[in-house]
Amino acid sequence: MNWNLSASEAINIQQKLFREVELCPCAVESISIVCGCDVSYRTNNGQIIGQAAVINWEIRERVVLEQKLAVQEVVFPYIPGLLSFREIPPLLSALDALEETPHILLVDGQGIAHPRRFGLASHLGLVLQKPTIGCAKSKLIGTYNEPARQKGSMEPLFHKNEQIGTVVRSRDKKKPLFVSPGHLIDHGSAVAIILKTLGKYRLPEPLRLAHHFSRNRPAENSTR
DNA sequence: GCGACAG
DNA sequence: ATCTTGTCGC
Ligand SMILES: [Mg+2]
């Protein structure tokens, strides 16, 4: 699957769907399976191949339950603000392959911290009707005060006088993460989940693992 | 018009 | 995101 839309058509869809996004407290303590989602790219013969990785991670034992990789052509270009139209197709393929449905999805990108409050995590959560959290490595929009340099420090991310996310220092002295609700969750619960999934690195474990796994180069089918 | 700009 | 080896700071 792949969307064949113009940028303006995609924007119209976002303006139509963002109203369905719901921000609400999430039962953090009852969550056990967090699915890390990320996509890497490479080119084949002029065509762009996307490799979507999804990893179900058990939050209590902190172990991987299962991981899937979907490899397919991606046609929608990268346009700031329209990332979901490029990454959702391959991500849905990978998620379809999972044996177990996760309780919540952790996505590499923004949730509502988006010009139209409809980033990748929000779009994916709405499609799946599942709670999602956006965790980006850099900012798309908004203003904030730099969090103190020790791990755990955080500051709200604002846009037009409303909080759209939280800037979280996941490691001492390292660049902070930009956490925002995707769908069916609120700021506090989103940050709580992120903190519970952090390990020894800057990225939450489910995302760090998905990022690495997405870079796998599957063996090709022998021509015969 | 100019600068910013997830992955 | 991707192209890529050594190098600097903690
Ligand atoms: Mg990514």
Side-chain angles (χ1 to χ4, degrees):
Chain A
M1 179 265 207
N2 255 322
W3 265 297
N4 183 29
L5 305 165
S6 65
S8 60
E9 292 175 324
I11 289 176
N12 287 328
I13 290 175
Q14 295 182 321
Q15 301 179 318
K16 179 76 172 181
L17 296 180
F18 93 97
R19 288 171 248 157
E20 324 278 308
V21 173
E22 192 177 328
L23 301 189
C24 53
C26 177
V28 178
E29 52 306 323
S30 63
I31 289 176
S32 76
I33 302 179
V34 178
C35 181
C37 311
D38 191 23
V39 183
S40 67
Y41 302 86
R42 63 185 164 82
T43 56
N44 200 86
N45 289 296
Q47 74 173 355
I48 301 174
I49 302 299
Q51 301 203 146
V54 294
I55 298 186
N56 271 353
W57 194 75
E58 210 291 308
I59 206 169
R60 197 75 228 181
E61 293 299 321
R62 304 180 70 80
V63 296
V64 173
L65 298 181
E66 63 174 310
Q67 51 184 27
K68 298 295 178 181
L69 185 70
V71 181
Q72 61 189 55
E73 179 179 13
V74 169
V75 299
F76 200 90
Y78 168 69
I79 300 173
L82 302 180
L83 178 65
S84 66
F85 294 91
R86 179 177 172 82
E87 304 206 332
I88 283 183
L91 282 176
L92 288 182
S93 298
L95 290 167
D96 272 343
L98 285 174
E99 305 290 338
E100 197 166 14
T101 300
H103 298 144
I104 190 168
L105 293 87
L106 222 185
V107 187
D108 181 33
Q110 315 290 348
I112 63 170
H114 178 279
R116 292 168 291 283
R117 305 293 183 269
F118 202 64
L120 172 59
S122 297
H123 197 162
L124 184 62
L126 195 60
V127 169
L128 301 172
Q129 275 306 296
K130 278 285 173 185
T132 54
I133 298 172
C135 179
K137 299 179 291 302
S138 61
K139 183 193 74 173
L140 174 58
I141 60 165
T143 58
Y144 64 97
N145 289 314
E146 196 67 31
R149 55 180 178 290
Q150 53 267 58
K151 173 180 181 178
S153 300
M154 53 185 81
E155 290 289 341
L157 175 64
F158 291 102
H159 181 58
K160 294 182 176 178
N161 298 308
E162 82 171 299
Q163 184 176 0
I164 57 174
T166 307
V167 185
V168 181
R169 187 81 68 183
S170 56
R171 289 213 66 192
D172 278 30
K173 219 134 187 242
K174 286 330 190 187
K175 181 177 181 179
L177 299 177
F178 295 78
V179 181
S180 60
H183 184 47
L184 301 177
I185 194 169
D186 62 12
H187 292 292
S189 302
V191 171
I193 299 290
I194 290 297
L195 295 180
K196 294 183 67 172
T197 58
L198 286 179
K200 305 174 182 175
Y201 307 88
R202 181 169 80 113
L203 296 182
E205 211 58 7
L207 275 188
R208 189 181 71 83
L209 296 172
H211 181 66
H212 286 319
F213 188 48
S214 74
R215 312 247 321 162
N216 264 18
R217 180 64 194 268
E220 290 184 54
N221 297 318
S222 305
T223 304
R224 120 193 72 166

